[in-house]
Amino acid sequence: MSIKENLLAINKTIHDTVTLVAVSKTKPMSYIQEAYDEGQRIFGENRVQEMTEKWENLPKDIEWHMIGHLQRNKVKYMAEYVSLVHGVDSPRLLAEINKQAEKHNRIISCLLQVHIAEEDTKFGFNEEELLELVDNEQFKAYKNVKIVGLMGMATFTDNLEQIRKEFSGLKSLFTKLKSNYTDFTTLSMGMSGDYKIAIEEGSTMVRIGSSIFGSRN
Ligand SMILES: *Cc1c(COP(=O)(O)O)cnc(C)c1O
């Protein structure tokens, strides 16, 4: 199947209330242009340098999402243009994003990453840390970041019930926070292998790579 056909097929299965992030990491710019020509405008990358090169060379109305684990010393390279940072997983990273956004006179939207998987290799806050962070006075004083929701990755497993349980747990947490924080609009969960379950459990944003662009090496 072509990128065009893959995009059409996926767009058919997701509701129009769910935002599609086309994950283009490792893929050449010609692939992104092809998806762009089909109307796709949001792309996800997990390396700042690669994303910046693509941003420099592709149409300027593309929204670039940083979806991977982010090192603080890389934030400055994308602060000028990044539109959503999915994987904020420490207070220090949030502080750095705020600082770099201020230099560009921007407000950068961020999602707090929550650790929902069994593996301890996946980054993120636990519930207690998360509640502590959103109540923190210093965090509330940040003027150049806006926390718009949560992001999570389920365990890499064939056990669909486990995946469902992890997503539904994240959705409950999201709902709980949403009642106190009006900026909370986005729940980023679901990838190629599990996005249908994620949407059933309340995802508002899916991050899909291989089902659009083919598998990565
Ligand atoms: C690579 C990646 C995706 C996309 O994965 P696919 O299985 O190719 O859809 C989604 N989210 C994150 C955080 C990723 O790193």
Side-chain angles (χ1 to χ4, degrees), residues 80-97:
E80 180 184 349
Y81 69 89
V82 70
S83 75
L84 181 63
V85 181
H86 286 238
V88 175
D89 60 0
S90 77
R92 292 170 77 201
L93 177 58
L94 190 64
E96 179 65 14
I97 297 170

Side-chain angles (χ1 to χ4, degrees), residues 4 16 53 73 76 82-83 107 131 150 152 173 201:
K4 175 182 177 168
D16 44 6
E53 263 179 55
N73 61 2
K76 56 178 175 287
V82 70
S83 75
I107 296 171
L131 296 175
L150 303 178
L173 188 54
E201 295 305 325

Side-chain angles (χ1 to χ4, degrees), residues 23 25 46 67 151 153 191-193 207-211 216:
V23 175
K25 63 190 186 197
N46 70 342
I67 62 168
M151 178 268 208
M153 291 168 85
M191 327 192 345
S192 291
R207 310 174 308 269
I208 300 181
S210 43
S211 292
R216 291 174 299 270

